[in-house]
Amino acid sequence: MRNASSPMWRKLVLLVSFTLLLSLLPVRAFSADTGFPDVDPQRYAWAINAIRLMTDKQVLTGYPDGLFRPDQTVSKAEWTVMVHRLFNKYRPNQYAVGMEKISYFTDVPPLHWAHRPIMDMYNASFRIGGYGVSRTGDLAFRPDQALNRLQLAQMLYAFFDQRLMDRRLSENDVCAVMMEFKDVPVRLFTDPEEYAAAKADGRYEAGGLMDIESSNVYPSLFMGNHSSNCKFGDDPLSNVQSTALVSLKANGIMTPNDDGYFRPKDRVTRAEAVTILNRIYSYLKNNSLLSDYTSVELDASGSGGGSAGTGGGAPSSGGGSFNNNPGSSIIVPPNSGGSAGGNHQNPEWSDKSVIRVTDYFNDQGVIVKNVKLFGEIETAVQPNGKRFLTIDMKSQEKVDLYVILDGRVGFVKQEELPLTLPLDGIGMVGLRSQKRDMKSPRTTEYQTTLSVALYDEDPGNGKKRK
């Protein structure tokens, strides 16, 4: 074996490390519209704001040839470096003690270009999706592995002290929603012995750790015989994976497409990575948690712009003051007597009365999203004492709107917009878009702009709806 301490070997390692760093280090200043010739403003409308924000803060930037390469895949090490830079207070392993602290990964030597971020970040809570054992039996991270969507979702379970996970969801809620995913299998068992046998499918190696070399999509295992009466068993992978996928969907951070496909094996691209980071930043900010994890301040025009699918918030021109995004990612009608998707006692309330917020307005009160590619807009507005709400929505193809007033659902055609709603006694206004032509080709242009504004007095410039 080559002597790792030889001068020639050290030079080679440093040269490789330097080359990898080029893609993450600043190379030149870019304009607010990204300025990258390979970031087409139409194709990447969903990611442009996140790209601008992250390159402005040098979380990552372009390559020496002036390109951003939005479709290039991201490795686990590159993702870790981005998180390390954006969330500069978040160092769980650095402050871990005892059994929680990870002291080494066999494949992350001190000379690895991302050694410090990896060793600062990953403590024992990342044993599902984060690290495992190699085929030689060593504790391994696989830093240069291209990160796929399922691995990232699994890792996000542990990130930020599990605060991205929605603890209001019951085990039955998680199970029921998991059954809606078309490409992440679910298996139900009524016999505990059969459940135990199902875990012996290669998902674990020595000591209960995962095989870090595997890219298999393992089924989520539940106890029960129907989506209405299933619950967690004792399998860590199933419980972590399911909780992560359902919570990330509910919070709008990572979601399946309109047809229910999460694409678990698809590699995470640079454009997707910065968009997901922006959504996480927005989620933490909207839930008053951001100061625990970072001192980095993103431009206000994008910090609240997370959306579902791969959409993103719309850039604004600055000067906005909209701060009426909801503080919760799932909004159930008041006094409904049920949970999200539960059995509501009032006959006016149904599943459509529940708002699962996947999109947040920017500081101008605007959301921009391609609803054909990345799912319908689902959002809400807290009046906070304002008496009137103006709503408008623009799209080349027809997109209509459900308006939910404290659980009561109304339907508005696009031709009826803009409209002004009186808000006397209303605590929350939910908004859910609906494509009019459900069978339109995937290439159909459904870039949709939803905008709202709140007033103390009737603005008199929209149609009233009682």
Side-chain angles (χ1 to χ4, degrees):
M1 180 180 292
R2 188 184 297 274
N3 185 355
S5 63
S6 69
M8 182 61 69
W9 181 250
R10 289 173 63 88
K11 288 180 180 178
L12 178 60
V13 172
L14 290 172
L15 177 61
V16 172
S17 298
F18 176 76
T19 302
L20 290 169
L21 279 168
L22 284 176
S23 67
L24 292 169
L25 292 176
V27 294
R28 64 181 177 90
F30 295 100
S31 62
D33 61 354
T34 79
F36 295 103
D38 59 338
V39 180
D40 180 83
Q42 298 299 319
R43 181 181 175 190
Y44 296 103
W46 53 271
I48 281 180
N49 199 44
I51 292 171
R52 179 182 66 80
L53 290 171
M54 299 305 161
T55 54
D56 281 351
K57 293 300 181 181
Q58 300 180 6
V59 174
L60 83 169
T61 59
Y63 285 79
D65 58 4
L67 301 179
F68 182 76
R69 301 181 188 173
D71 292 327
Q72 182 166 299
T73 57
V74 170
S75 71
K76 291 176 70 178
E78 288 170 331
W79 166 262
T80 304
V81 171
M82 293 179 209
V83 175
H84 196 263
R85 289 178 178 172
L86 179 59
F87 299 99
N88 57 8
K89 295 181 182 179
Y90 182 59
R91 306 289 185 262
N93 193 53
Q94 180 179 334
Y95 301 113
V97 295
M99 298 296 290
E100 288 298 306
K101 191 172 186 68
I102 300 295
S103 58
Y104 82 99
F105 293 115
T106 189
D107 52 359
V108 188
L111 287 179
H112 190 280
W113 67 278
H115 175 266
R116 179 178 175 183
I118 291 170
M119 297 313 301
D120 279 354
M121 199 77 66
Y122 296 99
N123 64 10
S125 67
F126 289 88
R127 63 185 292 264
I128 302 296
Y131 66 89
V133 292
S134 68
R135 288 170 184 167
T136 60
D138 296 310
L139 193 66
F141 181 74
R142 288 204 72 185
D144 303 317
Q145 178 185 42
L147 189 62
N148 69 37
R149 286 172 54 83
L150 182 59
Q151 289 165 342
L152 179 54
Q154 292 169 345
M155 290 168 65
L156 287 175
Y157 175 88
F159 268 110
F160 307 106
D161 312 304
Q162 297 186 8
R163 283 174 160 176
L164 301 181
M165 301 298 103
D166 197 323
R167 297 303 175 186
R168 293 163 299 183
L169 296 169
S170 69
E171 293 183 5
N172 200 129
D173 290 335
V174 172
C175 176
V177 175
M178 276 301 300
M179 291 186 174
E180 298 174 3
F181 285 74
K182 299 290 183 60
D183 48 3
V184 182
V186 170
R187 296 183 64 189
L188 298 180
F189 299 89
T190 56
D191 185 341
E193 292 186 2
E194 292 181 358
Y195 178 96
K199 294 187 292 183
D201 57 1
R203 61 183 63 198
Y204 301 116
E205 295 292 330
L209 293 174
M210 296 183 66
D211 176 6
I212 201 68
E213 308 287 343
S214 174
S215 60
N216 292 338
V217 178
Y218 290 104
S220 290
L221 312 178
F222 292 92
M223 293 298 299
N225 59 10
H226 191 270
S227 62
S228 63
N229 68 351
C230 52
K231 61 182 181 179
F232 290 169
D234 61 0
D235 178 49
L237 172 59
S238 297
N239 301 342
V240 166
Q241 176 171 283
S242 300
T243 301
L245 289 171
V246 174
S247 294
L248 295 172
K249 176 184 177 181
N251 295 332
I253 294 171
M254 294 181 72
T255 71
N257 63 20
D258 285 353
D259 299 319
Y261 290 92
F262 184 77
R263 299 175 290 115
K265 288 192 173 185
D266 280 12
R267 304 290 175 82
V268 178
T269 67
R270 282 164 59 86
E272 289 172 329
V274 294
T275 302
I276 292 168
L277 282 173
N278 190 33
R279 294 175 192 157
I280 293 171
Y281 186 102
S282 299
Y283 176 85
L284 295 173
K285 180 177 181 179
N286 290 332
N287 286 277
S288 302
L289 301 171
L290 191 60
S291 61
D292 292 347
Y293 301 105
T294 186
S295 61
V296 176
E297 294 186 8
L298 295 182
D299 186 315
S301 64
S303 61
S307 295
T310 47
S316 73
S317 57
S321 59
F322 185 88
N323 57 1
N324 298 81
N325 283 302
S328 172
S329 60
I330 298 184
I331 299 166
V332 180
N335 304 315
S336 64
S339 60
N343 297 317
H344 310 301
Q345 296 173 346
N346 191 312
E348 293 182 329
W349 292 327
S350 66
D351 286 342
K352 290 187 179 296
S353 302
V354 178
I355 298 295
R356 295 171 176 84
V357 179
T358 59
D359 306 273
Y360 294 91
F361 294 99
N362 66 16
D363 68 338
Q364 303 291 318
V366 176
I367 293 171
V368 179
K369 185 177 182 182
N370 188 320
V371 298
K372 180 64 177 179
L373 294 179
F374 309 122
E376 300 290 356
I377 294 171
E378 190 159 8
T379 189
V381 178
Q382 294 186 102
N384 292 339
K386 299 292 185 180
R387 298 180 56 231
F388 294 91
L389 173 69
T390 297
I391 306 169
D392 199 5
M393 188 165 64
K394 305 291 186 185
S395 178
Q396 182 176 337
E397 299 293 329
K398 296 301 181 185
V399 178
D400 302 317
L401 193 67
Y402 286 99
V403 180
I404 302 95
L405 301 175
D406 282 345
R408 297 184 299 276
V409 181
F411 183 76
V412 183
K413 290 188 175 181
Q414 189 172 358
E415 291 84 355
E416 299 180 86
L417 299 170
L419 64 82
T420 297
L421 295 171
L423 298 177
D424 291 343
I426 299 298
M428 187 73 71
V429 180
L431 301 170
R432 183 187 296 116
S433 69
Q434 176 66 67
K435 298 183 296 293
R436 190 173 298 179
D437 183 2
M438 302 298 291
K439 297 182 179 180
S440 62
R442 187 174 178 83
T443 55
T444 302
E445 180 56 56
Y446 269 102
Q447 192 78 355
T448 302
T449 301
L450 175 66
S451 56
V452 297
L454 287 155
Y455 300 92
D456 291 318
E457 303 294 335
D458 186 349
N461 60 357
K463 302 172 186 177
K464 291 186 180 179
R465 190 176 184 85
K466 297 181 180 179

